[in-house]
Amino acid sequence: MKAEQTMKKSRKKLGGGTFFQRNLSGWLIMLPSVFLFFFLVWRPIGMGVVYSFFRLKNYVPVEFVGLQNYRDVLSDTLFLKTLWNTVQYVIWSIIIGFIPPILFAVIINEMVHINSFMKTSIYFPQIVPAVAAALVWYFLYLPGQSGVFNIILSKFGLPANNWLQNAKQTIPLIIFMDFWNGCGGAMLLYLAALQGINQELYEAAKIDGAGIPRRFMTVTFPSIFPIILLQFVRQIINVFQIMQQPMTLTGGGPNNASISLNLTAFKYAFERFQPERALALGVVTFLILIVVTCFYFRVQKKYGE
């Protein structure tokens, strides 16, 4: 018995050693990425959470204050306004920018001749950096007679628009610019999902007499629904963290009409020199996004079952 147990243990050790030896090259390839991810992502997040419970001086913790930073952030008169603005960004992004990428992907998937040109044209804005795109759209939205859109309006005899200086228009206009900048990436995801659908399903639907709308609802939509759900949650998470676009276009104005949670955290850290509040607000935003992500996994699990 002892001899058999000894042999089993030696086999386990040998098998474990063989496993790591076989995958040694893989571990070595992964190691730099793991180190970079730890030092550039995990470590800053962990330090940010810890420092949010301290009073900072020159970005160095000097006194433990518990939840005081969170109380200061949540009791700030601008917090609810900022939170509501961020929610509006998400709502407008779904209204303006969620359906068109799906339609573009379906249309391009059905094309025969110029689909490559259409894919390139729609994806091209994706390669433009967000700040550069915001600067271009700033001159398009410029109020008065010098703005490009107002010049076009004047050609048709229409009055000039205030565009970003109108508080009711600011968030939708920023989201429209963001949609133009990011539509191509979402379109390619949907297009890849569409091209992965088994064509025999469409042939069977045609034999049953299904038209284009019915084929879309019975074959296309169920097949790409997981990608739609994933992109829906990704869009909420990305837009909830919006900062560069309002910072470049409006600076959060007019009268804080376009300020977001991340832009507020930026102002706390680099304009008001209150980094502890910036960290606390970042943690609050992080917790909100965790709730959204958990909701996504729950829905995905339910759909998978």
Side-chain angles (χ1 to χ4, degrees):
M1 292 294 293
K2 290 183 178 180
E4 291 179 0
Q5 291 178 356
T6 305
M7 290 181 66
K8 287 181 180 179
K9 289 181 180 179
S10 61
R11 286 174 184 173
K12 288 182 180 179
K13 291 180 180 179
L14 181 61
T18 305
F19 172 79
F20 283 106
Q21 289 175 2
R22 288 178 179 176
N23 296 276
L24 182 60
S25 59
W27 289 109
L28 292 176
I29 292 172
M30 290 173 55
L31 200 59
S33 299
V34 171
F35 273 111
L36 288 174
F37 204 80
F38 173 78
F39 285 106
L40 298 180
V41 180
W42 295 337
R43 184 172 177 271
I45 290 176
M47 292 178 63
V49 173
V50 173
Y51 284 6
S52 67
F53 297 101
F54 287 83
R55 182 172 64 84
L56 304 181
K57 184 176 182 181
N58 296 328
Y59 297 92
V60 176
V62 294
E63 181 185 359
F64 179 79
V65 295
L67 297 175
Q68 185 59 45
N69 294 325
Y70 293 89
R71 296 191 190 98
D72 294 339
V73 167
L74 297 178
S75 62
D76 193 328
T77 55
L78 282 178
F79 175 74
L80 292 179
K81 172 69 174 175
T82 303
L83 180 61
W84 172 237
N85 285 348
T86 306
V87 172
Q88 287 188 78
Y89 276 114
V90 173
I91 293 173
W92 278 108
S93 74
I94 294 171
I95 294 173
I96 295 174
F98 187 67
I99 300 299
I102 302 175
L103 297 179
F104 291 152
V106 172
I107 293 171
I108 292 174
N109 192 51
E110 296 296 327
M111 287 182 173
V112 178
H113 298 293
I114 60 171
N115 55 354
S116 297
F117 172 77
M118 292 297 296
K119 281 190 289 187
T120 304
S121 301
I122 296 174
Y123 186 76
F124 179 76
Q126 183 81 31
I127 66 176
V128 180
V131 174
L135 289 173
V136 171
W137 282 84
Y138 173 80
F139 289 104
L140 294 175
Y141 287 141
L142 205 63
Q145 299 300 323
S146 57
V148 176
F149 286 153
N150 281 339
I151 292 174
I152 296 173
L153 290 177
S154 65
K155 297 296 182 181
F156 293 94
L158 299 174
N161 195 317
N162 289 329
W163 302 109
L164 294 174
Q165 291 186 353
N166 186 334
K168 294 181 180 180
Q169 298 178 173
T170 303
I171 291 179
L173 291 176
I174 292 175
I175 286 298
F176 184 80
M177 184 276 298
D178 188 58
F179 158 71
W180 172 86
N181 190 220
C183 175
M187 181 270 297
L188 285 184
L189 285 176
Y190 294 129
L191 186 60
L194 288 171
Q195 293 178 350
I197 298 175
N198 190 348
Q199 296 300 313
E200 294 179 358
L201 298 175
Y202 287 109
E203 294 175 2
K206 288 179 181 179
I207 293 174
D208 291 339
I212 294 177
R214 187 178 172 187
R215 290 201 301 269
F216 178 82
M217 295 304 299
T218 57
V219 179
T220 305
F221 183 76
S223 299
I224 66 173
F225 179 75
I227 299 298
I228 292 176
L229 181 61
L230 173 63
Q231 186 61 26
F232 180 78
V233 176
R234 283 186 58 194
Q235 185 164 322
I236 291 176
I237 292 174
N238 290 336
V239 175
F240 208 87
Q241 301 175 82
I242 193 169
M243 184 191 76
Q244 295 175 337
Q245 295 84 346
M247 180 175 65
T248 306
L249 288 171
T250 63
N255 194 23
N256 294 318
S258 62
I259 195 168
S260 64
L261 286 173
N262 273 13
L263 183 54
T264 303
F266 176 86
K267 289 179 178 290
Y268 274 140
F270 300 106
E271 291 184 7
R272 304 181 191 177
F273 301 102
Q274 297 173 322
E276 59 273 5
R277 290 194 179 189
L279 293 172
L281 184 56
V283 172
V284 171
T285 306
F286 180 69
L287 293 175
I288 294 173
L289 295 179
I290 284 179
V291 172
V292 176
T293 306
C294 291
F295 172 76
Y296 160 70
F297 282 119
R298 184 173 181 181
V299 173
Q300 186 190 43
K301 183 179 179 181
K302 183 178 180 180
Y303 177 77
E305 294 174 352

